[in-house]
Amino acid sequence: MNSDAEYLSPEAQVERLKARGLEFLDEAEALRMLPNIGYHRLNSYLRRFESSGKDLKRTCAGVRFEDVMRVYRFDLQLRSLMLAGLEGVEVAVRSMWMDELSKHYGKYAYLNPSIFKDKKAHKQSLKKLQRTAEASYSLHPDVCHWRKSHPASSPLPFGMVISLMTFGELLRWIRNTKATSCRIQVARRLGFPTIRIMMGVLCSLVMVRNCCAHHERLWDRRIRTALPNIRKGLKRPLRTVYVASALEADRRLYNYILMLSHLTQRLTPDRAWTARMITLLSELPRKQLRIMGFPDDVSYTDI
């Protein structure tokens, strides 16, 4: 049997990690932590600490379990903080889009096919939304409460419906909105000069949100969707790289932290989220900040 397919007790996992060169200051603590984390999850964090030995095999010589756990805990806090910032942005985008459409087309604007570019896509989105609403009648407290005092045939208010959309679904609705004036107002309220840039930023942040929500390693990740290459309006310009002879925003986390700092300060000028992020980043050595994409001439305090 392949050794990777064998069951390993926590004690056997520790022995295997020792064989790879990993050191333990407190083996009892490692035995307590490994069942809660999982060997393969820990292994994904360990890769950043590996180097090539004389026989070209990957080794963890000189690395301590406690060093890996420090990065693991940092990443856990990083995901929580990114989610907190993203939640504020997501709620604001929902509210802004609903506000602009309701102002011009009424409180049931989402039902009006004439204000959407692709009528077929609108019909499909509406059906999916209605299925979600029906499934929520007994589960979602606000929907349940509203249904008790309204006829079954009454459509749900826009504000209630929009809370049932996932962030990805919300962006599809916004993209399909024909009313350019409504979308440009949302973009301006978020501090973006164009609809294209706003949609590019929000679609990129969906990728970060999904990574956080599914507990995936975040700190050294290259996000699948690059941010638009924004040159103005941010405290610092985004870091860029050449990809296939074209300049695009670096997909490492530095740019996404910079963007989320911009958005949270736009929505809540007290800089509370940014201050919390600066405090968290202060725990990380410059070498690891560099892995996250921080330029050598930029301090983690300058976001």
Side-chain angles (χ1 to χ4, degrees):
M1 181 184 290
N2 186 328
S3 61
D4 288 339
E6 296 176 5
Y7 168 74
L8 291 178
S9 66
E11 292 79 8
Q13 291 174 19
V14 167
E15 291 306 315
R16 177 170 287 188
L17 291 168
K18 283 181 178 179
R20 292 169 60 189
L22 192 65
E23 300 171 3
F24 294 84
L25 292 179
D26 188 343
E27 200 167 309
E29 176 67 7
L31 289 170
R32 189 182 70 81
M33 293 300 300
L34 276 168
N36 299 329
I37 297 171
Y39 179 84
H40 290 287
R41 184 169 177 80
L42 177 72
N43 204 36
S44 74
Y45 286 87
L46 191 55
R47 290 193 195 103
R48 274 291 177 187
F49 292 86
E50 290 180 330
S51 58
S52 296
K54 292 180 180 179
D55 56 0
L56 300 181
K57 287 185 177 180
R58 304 297 288 173
T59 176
C60 305
V63 179
R64 296 183 300 184
F65 174 80
E66 290 73 17
D67 296 329
V68 182
M69 285 304 301
R70 193 173 295 115
V71 173
Y72 177 85
R73 292 189 181 101
F74 167 82
D75 198 44
L76 180 64
Q77 293 177 283
L78 179 65
R79 287 196 305 273
S80 296
L81 188 51
M82 292 295 283
L83 266 180
L86 288 163
E87 180 183 345
V89 172
E90 183 178 341
V91 169
V93 172
R94 291 174 190 272
S95 181
M96 290 173 184
W97 180 63
M98 178 188 68
D99 181 58
E100 292 296 334
L101 283 189
S102 299
K103 192 187 303 180
H104 294 90
Y105 303 103
K107 65 178 182 178
Y108 296 111
Y110 72 96
L111 294 172
N112 185 352
S114 68
I115 64 175
F116 295 97
K117 293 181 284 188
D118 187 330
K119 304 296 187 291
K120 184 178 179 181
H122 171 255
K123 187 176 181 179
Q124 291 172 341
S125 294
L126 198 55
K127 282 183 178 179
K128 184 175 182 180
L129 197 56
Q130 288 167 341
R131 287 195 299 270
T132 303
E134 288 168 6
S136 300
Y137 289 162
S138 60
L139 300 174
H140 196 293
D142 292 337
V143 175
C144 184
H145 178 76
W146 188 86
R147 274 293 175 216
K148 288 178 180 178
S149 57
H150 292 81
S153 58
S154 299
L156 291 174
F158 201 170
M160 198 168 291
V161 162
I162 206 169
S163 70
L164 301 177
M165 299 178 188
T166 67
F167 198 13
E169 288 169 346
L170 172 68
L171 296 186
R172 284 192 286 275
W173 278 83
I174 295 175
R175 190 180 290 111
N176 195 28
T177 302
K178 186 189 295 184
T180 302
S181 60
C182 292
R183 293 194 297 160
I184 196 63
Q185 283 304 314
V186 175
R188 286 173 180 169
R189 288 167 72 174
L190 291 172
F192 298 122
T194 67
I195 295 168
R196 183 189 65 80
I197 287 177
M198 175 187 72
M199 294 305 296
V201 168
L202 295 178
C203 287
S204 297
L205 292 180
V206 167
M207 297 293 106
V208 179
R209 181 194 180 281
N210 291 344
C211 181
C212 295
H214 293 108
H215 321 295
E216 297 175 10
R217 193 179 77 250
L218 179 65
W219 78 279
D220 62 344
R221 182 176 292 268
R222 291 180 184 269
I223 307 301
R224 189 171 65 186
T225 304
L227 288 160
N229 187 9
I230 302 171
R231 298 179 181 276
K232 295 180 180 179
L234 302 178
K235 185 174 181 180
R236 294 191 65 86
L238 296 180
R239 191 171 188 181
T240 55
V241 293
Y242 278 99
V243 177
S245 301
L247 197 64
E248 72 167 36
D250 193 328
R251 299 185 187 212
R252 288 177 292 178
L253 204 62
Y254 165 74
N255 278 346
Y256 299 85
I257 291 173
L258 196 66
M259 181 57 66
L260 198 48
S261 179
H262 162 78
L263 286 169
T264 55
Q265 289 180 58
R266 182 85 183 184
L267 298 172
T268 53
D270 61 5
R271 283 180 57 87
W273 184 89
T274 300
R276 290 169 63 197
M277 179 58 75
I278 288 171
T279 300
L280 180 61
L281 291 171
S282 69
E283 300 175 9
L284 215 59
R286 168 54 67 175
K287 178 182 178 181
Q288 287 163 334
L289 286 172
R290 195 177 293 123
I291 291 171
M292 292 176 69
F294 278 77
D296 286 334
D297 61 343
V298 173
S299 168
Y300 61 84
T301 61
D302 203 12
I303 58 173

